[in-house]
Amino acid sequence: MNAARATLSAACLSGEARALREAVVARLTAVFAEAGHARLEPPHLLDADLLLDLYGEDIRTRAFLFPEPVHGGELCLRPDFTLPVALAHAEAGWDRAAAYAYAGPVFRLQDQSETRPIEYFQVGVERFGEADRARADANVLALVLSGLDALGLSERQIISGDPSVVFSLLDALEIALDRKTALRRHFWRPNRFRALIERYTQARPAPSARRSRLLAAAAAGTVEQEAAEAGEVLGLRGLDEIAARADALAVSAGVPPMPKEQADLIAAVLEIQGPSGEALAALRDLTAGAGVDIGPALERFERRLDALNRVGVDAEDLPFDVRFGRAMEYYDGFVFEITAPGSSDWPPLAGGGRYDRMTERLGAPKPVPAVGAMIRPEAAILAGARP
C-alpha cells in the first residue's frame, strides 16, 4: 500500500510522469468538452469558514489554512473543486442550467506517517439546474465511465450509494429533532453513528448534582443569572451560549429512549448492500414490513436505475451499499466511487455525486439540482492509463 502511494506521489514529480499526466488531463478535458461542459478556472484559495461549514469540521485536519491579513479571517487551499465551481455558478445566477469542466491541483494535508500526496490533480465536471435529476445522475456517471474508457481503463469496480435513503428513514421515524440532526451529521462516521444509536436506546443515567442544578436553572430560565453570580466565565463560550446549551440539555433530558424497533430497523437498513436491483427490493420490503414510508426516496432510486439503463449502464447489477456516502458531508443523493480491480489500497480512480442542499446554503432561494464527479489522473496513471 505504501509503495503504491509513494509511486503515486513520485508520479507528480518526475518529468516523464508529469508529461503523461498532462496527456491524461488533455484527453479527459477533450471528452468533457465534447459533452458540452464549459471550462472553468476556479481560484485556489477559499474562505475557510464557508468551507468548514459546508464540508464539515473533519476537513479542518486535512486542510491547508492561512490567515487572511485584510479582514482577519482564514483562507484555505481548495481540497476539491465542488465548492469553488458552485460559487462561480452562483455569481452567474442560480436560475439557469449549466455544465462546467475543470482541471487542476487540489490540496489535502496528510499525517507525517502517510505517503499520500498532499497535492494531486482532479479533472471533472459539475452540472446545475437539470430538473430531471435521475437523468443528470446517470449522464454524469456515464460520462466518467467514458473518460476512463478513453484512458484505456475499461476494467474497474464501482460502488454506489445514496445518503438520502437513510435521511428519509430518519425523517419518517418519530425521533427527536436534535437526535435526527446528530445522526444526519454523523452518517459519514459509522462508528459514531452506531454509538449514537446505542446511546439513544438506553435509559439516561441520573444526572450528577452539578448537572441537576444546571437543568433546574434551565427550567426556571435563570441560567445566565446564576452563571453571572458564580463569578468570571471561563472558556470561550459566552453566557448566552451557556444558556442555550443548558436549554438543549434540558430538552434532551426529557426525551425517552429510542424504541428498540426503531434502532433495529435503522441497523437492518444499514446492512443492505448488493446489486442495486436487489437492494431496492430489499429496502421496499424492509420498510413496508415495518410500516415506514420512504416512498419518495425509493421512487428516486428506481427512476435513477431506469435512467442508468438508458445510458448503457447495467443498473440492476450496479453495486449499492446503503452505508456508502463518500467522504464529503455535502452529498445528499446518488454517490459513486470507482477503483481499479485489485487495488483496494490505492486512491480511487474517480468519484462524485449529488449535492442539491449545498446550493441553498450558498444562497440559492431553494435547493438547485447539482451533481458532479471527478477523475484523478495520477491514480489513473498508476492503474495503467494510456491516453
Side-chain angles (χ1 to χ4, degrees), residues 20-33 37-42 78-82 85 100-106 120-126 140 143-145 147-148 151 336 348-352 372-381:
L20 182 55
R21 184 183 67 187
E22 291 176 358
V24 168
V25 170
R27 187 72 186 94
L28 293 174
T29 299
V31 170
F32 296 157
H37 294 75
R39 181 69 179 268
L40 275 186
E41 298 287 348
R78 64 190 182 207
D80 72 357
F81 277 89
T82 302
V85 172
Y100 306 103
Y102 57 80
V106 296
Y120 57 89
F121 261 61
Q122 290 183 349
V123 184
V125 297
E126 308 291 341
V140 165
L143 182 59
V144 168
L145 294 176
L148 294 175
L151 300 178
F336 66 90
L349 294 172
M374 63 83 200
I375 295 175
R376 292 183 60 166
E378 291 99 346
I381 292 170

Side-chain angles (χ1 to χ4, degrees), residues 81-91 94 128 355 358-359 362:
F81 277 89
T82 302
L83 178 56
V85 172
L87 291 172
H89 180 71
E91 290 182 5
W94 288 115
F128 299 90
Y355 52 95
M358 177 197 279
T359 63
L362 290 176

